[in-house]
Amino acid sequence: MPPGGRMSHCACRASSLHLKPPTAFPTVPAQRQPSWRVSWRGDRRWCHGDSSAPLGNDEATEEDRAYMRRALGLARRGLGATAPNPAVGCVVVKNGEVVGEGFHPKAGLPHAEVYALRAAGNMAEGATAYVTLEPCNHYGRTPPCSRALVEARVSKVVVGIVDPNPLVDNEGIKTLQKAGIQVVVGCLEEQCYEINKDFMVGIQEQDSSRG
């Protein structure tokens, strides 16, 4: 079914949602983790996996790109309202059908992944999540989205671009991979960068000032 499938609950009624911290992670066989590198091209920070690594480097398919475009459309709905956070969209797909989607509406409210997983409910298990930015991996004003995806037992996560925030910066990807979740990184990377260019440049400037 094309990405225009059934549309589910998005980032509304935010105050009614609550995500508890995870209690445990699934036990999975040990796997060699990819060595991620981050490089700047001009004023842009681009994130790519080590080509020798077994995980996180699968090429995005045309279907992946179609769903990521949908996630980008959701992310745009939060533009101008999420600062200092980036604008993020998430789409959860199972058996070719959109079963949940959401976007981050405002700093302090749940992130895009939380809305999408809540909308998907039990359908999230075994599904693929498309996220425009690497899921966060730390407790701030909201719990970590990487762990929410693990708890929901999704089987695959397609990430638009790695989050250069030092609090995240590949750790969300590592958490997913340690739980046995397939991760694809770099789907529509340029578009995912552009939608949060101010955020990306701000991180670059912070890095430069610390250097």
Side-chain angles (χ1 to χ4, degrees), residues 57-78:
N57 297 304
D58 296 342
E59 289 292 330
T61 65
E62 187 53 44
E63 181 180 44
D64 290 336
R65 287 186 282 273
Y67 285 119
M68 188 60 74
R69 280 190 284 270
R70 180 167 179 148
L72 280 165
L74 290 164
R76 291 187 183 96
R77 295 175 64 178

Side-chain angles (χ1 to χ4, degrees), residues 37-112:
R37 65 182 184 277
V38 181
S39 60
W40 287 98
R41 297 180 185 173
D43 68 336
R44 299 185 179 187
R45 186 166 185 162
W46 298 81
C47 311
H48 302 276
D50 183 337
S51 60
S52 66
L55 296 177
N57 297 304
D58 296 342
E59 289 292 330
T61 65
E62 187 53 44
E63 181 180 44
D64 290 336
R65 287 186 282 273
Y67 285 119
M68 188 60 74
R69 280 190 284 270
R70 180 167 179 148
L72 280 165
L74 290 164
R76 291 187 183 96
R77 295 175 64 178
L79 283 175
T82 62
N85 295 345
V88 180
C90 178
V91 176
V92 179
V93 178
K94 188 170 187 178
N95 299 326
E97 180 181 5
V98 174
V99 295
E101 57 185 22
F103 65 96
H104 180 45
K106 183 179 179 181
L109 294 182
H111 292 182

